[in-house]
Amino acid sequence: MRRDIYLFSNGRLMRKDNTLYIVSEDGIKRAVPVEQVENVHLFGQIDLNSALFNFSGQKEVMLHFYNYYGFYTGSFYPREHSVSGIVTVKQSDHYLRKEKRLFLAKCFVQSASFHMLRTCRKRGIHGYESVQIITELSKNIRDAKDVQQTMGIEGMIRQHYYRALNELIPEEFTFAERTKRPPRDPFNALISFGNTMMYTSVLSEIYKTQLNPTISYLHEPSQKRFSLCLDLAEIFKPLLVDPLLITLVNKKKITSKHFENHDGMVYLNEMGRKIVIAAFDERLQQTIRHRKLKRNVSYWYLIRLECYKLIKHVIGDTPYIPLKAWW
Amino acid sequence: MYVIITYDVNERRVGKICKKLKAHLTWTQNSVFEGEVTKGPFLKCRQEVESIININEDSIYYYIVENPKHIRKEIIGEEKGQFDCFF
């Protein structure tokens, strides 16, 4: 069972004795079993050298970097170990052909809105006006003529969804609108941070498959990011991240003291990030019984299954049916 | 599964074994490593360790607990090595 480690303290991460060592500022060395590490998330100020990069490349450990405010900077993405020309070619083909791309884009939005409604239903606010609007809007997805329209509907759904979420969180967290780059209030900061963690998790799962993370369908591939992660994350954000955040604020695990405000730019402090990550990590390891596979699979693995389904779709094996949580 | 590995080997090989095991499991005490692993990585770890030792002089004990929930660890005194995901 490989897992992620999160470095918050400052210090040095190095290769020694063919494993990873973390040397803290006060000189305490700790060995980390490299065979058990999947991703390393670096939040603090950490020194690294090329020997470490070579080593983590060899061991296929991804390094994800975040800046001082906890925003995603980038990843060290080791040499692709599973490449398949066929998949890349077919994946591009599905992007280039309008109707094929539209089909996939719609799939992502449909699944996303399904999960948004699911979250609202589970929390007992399905009767609210904004939720009703989402239900109406999600029926329109099928009729969208192109990807821009699909994106438009998705945007509207999201607006109403965030309005509905306001009903579920304590008053101190209510927010008027979704603001990002930078988030302007605590709950926006939470959403941004949760989404960041989701993107990197999806990226590390895509990395294990033959998919090319830069070719996307709903988002434009020219977004200077691994945009396929954004596509797939759409499915998982309302399923994993949002319920988690609602629970955290309602159980008062996250309170106003976990935020810092810098000239209207709000972000989580170290303690807050740790709480969110611990909860997120735990959630990803939770398992549910898979209907078709007839065994328990974790949320981590569900992300990977989504990638496999996408591969099967693009190579023309089985048509893609997006995940719709059945539990 | 949860595995505890203890080793008693010739002085010349102690360092080698220790370094090798560090890459796979968490160090808990002198000559003791433990941690949760799956079958494949565990076999790899075993194979690497067993290629170092001399069967006539050294001994390695593996304690394998199939269900990690069936293990209760009680620590008295100082806890030496722990592995959690935050550093």
Side-chain angles (χ1 to χ4, degrees):
Chain A
M1 196 184 68
R2 295 173 73 186
R3 51 181 155 178
D4 289 13
I5 57 169
Y6 303 87
L7 298 180
F8 281 96
S9 48
N10 301 339
R12 192 174 173 75
L13 182 66
M14 61 182 203
R15 169 190 186 163
K16 194 174 182 289
D17 303 339
N18 271 327
T19 187
L20 301 173
Y21 269 75
I22 294 162
V23 188
S24 60
E25 275 176 316
D26 39 19
I28 299 166
K29 267 191 207 175
R30 288 182 63 184
V32 178
V34 69
E35 302 286 342
Q36 285 189 20
V37 176
E38 181 109 37
N39 297 295
V40 183
H41 300 258
L42 300 106
F43 287 91
Q45 287 185 36
I46 291 142
D47 296 341
L48 314 158
N49 63 8
S50 57
L52 177 92
F53 280 101
N54 284 325
F55 183 60
S56 71
Q58 188 191 328
K59 292 285 178 192
E60 286 163 15
V61 173
M62 284 174 92
L63 309 176
H64 302 290
F65 298 89
Y66 302 85
N67 70 7
Y68 180 78
Y69 304 106
F71 301 151
Y72 180 63
T73 309
S75 302
F76 170 67
Y77 193 71
R79 180 180 61 86
E80 295 262 0
H81 57 100
S82 54
V83 285
S84 157
I86 290 280
V87 172
T88 313
V89 169
K90 296 277 184 191
Q91 219 188 320
S92 316
D93 183 51
H94 275 256
Y95 168 70
L96 290 169
R97 291 184 200 224
K98 231 179 134 193
E99 68 283 8
K100 285 184 173 176
R101 180 179 171 196
L102 187 59
F103 171 78
L104 284 172
K106 281 179 183 174
C107 280
F108 294 133
V109 179
Q110 266 160 356
S111 172
S113 68
F114 178 87
H115 288 138
M116 284 178 209
L117 288 169
R118 178 178 181 268
T119 303
C120 295
R121 192 178 68 237
K122 289 229 164 190
R123 307 267 163 175
I125 56 158
H126 48 275
Y128 283 63
E129 194 198 342
S130 34
V131 183
Q132 298 288 338
I133 299 172
I134 301 177
T135 323
E136 287 306 311
L137 283 170
S138 53
K139 285 177 193 152
N140 297 344
I141 301 169
R142 225 180 307 138
D143 307 322
K145 298 258 175 340
D146 52 38
V147 177
Q148 275 70 37
Q149 262 186 30
T150 320
M151 273 292 243
I153 298 173
E154 194 256 325
M156 281 195 285
I157 291 180
R158 216 155 256 284
Q159 252 179 18
H160 290 288
Y161 173 62
Y162 285 126
R163 206 164 295 158
L165 281 194
N166 259 330
E167 308 287 333
L168 297 170
I169 53 177
E171 224 164 276
E172 51 172 328
F173 281 104
T174 26
F175 57 103
E177 53 168 352
R178 173 87 178 102
T179 48
K180 30 190 173 177
R181 277 179 258 152
R184 297 274 173 212
D185 54 70
F187 203 75
N188 271 305
L190 268 179
I191 297 177
S192 290
F193 186 69
N195 289 349
T196 301
M197 296 313 296
M198 196 68 241
Y199 292 143
T200 47
S201 315
V202 173
L203 177 62
S204 44
E205 288 302 303
I206 290 181
Y207 177 70
K208 285 174 216 149
T209 69
Q210 283 82 7
L211 287 173
N212 184 329
T214 55
I215 304 172
S216 59
Y217 303 100
L218 179 61
H219 297 80
E220 278 302 326
S222 55
Q223 281 177 332
K224 301 181 199 165
R225 286 191 278 178
F226 287 133
S227 38
L228 187 62
C229 301
L230 306 184
D231 280 7
L232 286 173
E234 289 293 331
I235 298 177
F236 292 98
K237 269 162 18 185
L239 176 66
L240 279 164
V241 180
D242 302 335
L244 198 75
L245 299 179
I246 297 170
T247 312
L248 283 177
V249 292
N250 279 326
K251 286 194 172 164
K252 305 232 183 308
K253 285 193 174 151
I254 292 271
T255 55
S256 47
K257 68 168 191 227
H258 294 117
F259 296 93
E260 271 167 48
N261 192 332
H262 275 227
D263 301 325
M265 174 171 130
V266 181
Y267 59 90
L268 276 164
N269 64 16
E270 193 183 311
M271 202 53 227
R273 273 179 227 162
K274 278 187 181 170
I275 294 168
V276 176
I277 288 173
F280 185 71
D281 208 57
E282 194 190 334
R283 172 56 73 89
L284 281 175
Q285 281 176 25
Q286 267 175 22
T287 56
I288 43 122
R289 184 143 182 101
H290 197 282
R291 286 190 296 193
K292 277 200 196 114
L293 295 177
K294 299 220 187 320
R295 63 181 166 88
N296 292 338
V297 296
S298 62
Y299 281 90
W300 265 119
Y301 196 67
L302 272 176
I303 306 175
R304 182 119 53 100
L305 287 176
E306 223 40 39
C307 301
Y308 288 148
K309 277 197 271 177
L310 208 55
I311 294 179
K312 284 201 152 202
H313 175 79
V314 295
I315 61 170
D317 196 348
T318 36
Y320 179 63
I321 303 164
L323 174 76
K324 286 187 177 166
W326 60 83
W327 59 94
Chain B
M1 55 192 177
Y2 200 88
V3 178
I4 302 163
I5 301 180
T6 64
Y7 54 92
D8 188 350
V9 296
N10 188 305
E11 242 172 79
R12 266 177 287 162
R13 287 180 287 272
V14 168
K16 281 186 187 172
I17 297 279
C18 182
K19 279 177 189 171
K20 194 52 92 187
L21 284 172
K22 260 182 202 165
H24 291 273
L25 293 163
T26 317
W27 179 83
T28 33
Q29 274 185 338
N30 290 338
S31 314
V32 179
F33 281 84
E34 63 180 66
E36 210 179 320
V37 279
T38 44
K39 208 172 176 183
F42 177 55
L43 289 177
K44 190 178 159 209
C45 168
R46 273 185 76 156
Q47 189 262 325
E48 282 177 10
V49 167
E50 283 161 26
S51 67
I52 298 171
I53 57 162
N54 178 345
I55 307 252
N56 303 323
E57 286 181 37
D58 308 334
S59 71
I60 311 256
Y61 290 2
Y62 301 104
Y63 301 90
I64 300 161
V65 185
E66 289 294 341
N67 186 347
K69 283 178 182 153
H70 288 167
I71 187 160
R72 197 176 80 226
K73 189 166 141 187
E74 286 174 7
I75 300 157
I76 291 160
E78 184 198 0
E79 184 173 9
K80 286 192 166 174
Q82 72 263 62
F83 183 47
D84 65 44
C85 58
F86 293 115
F87 291 94

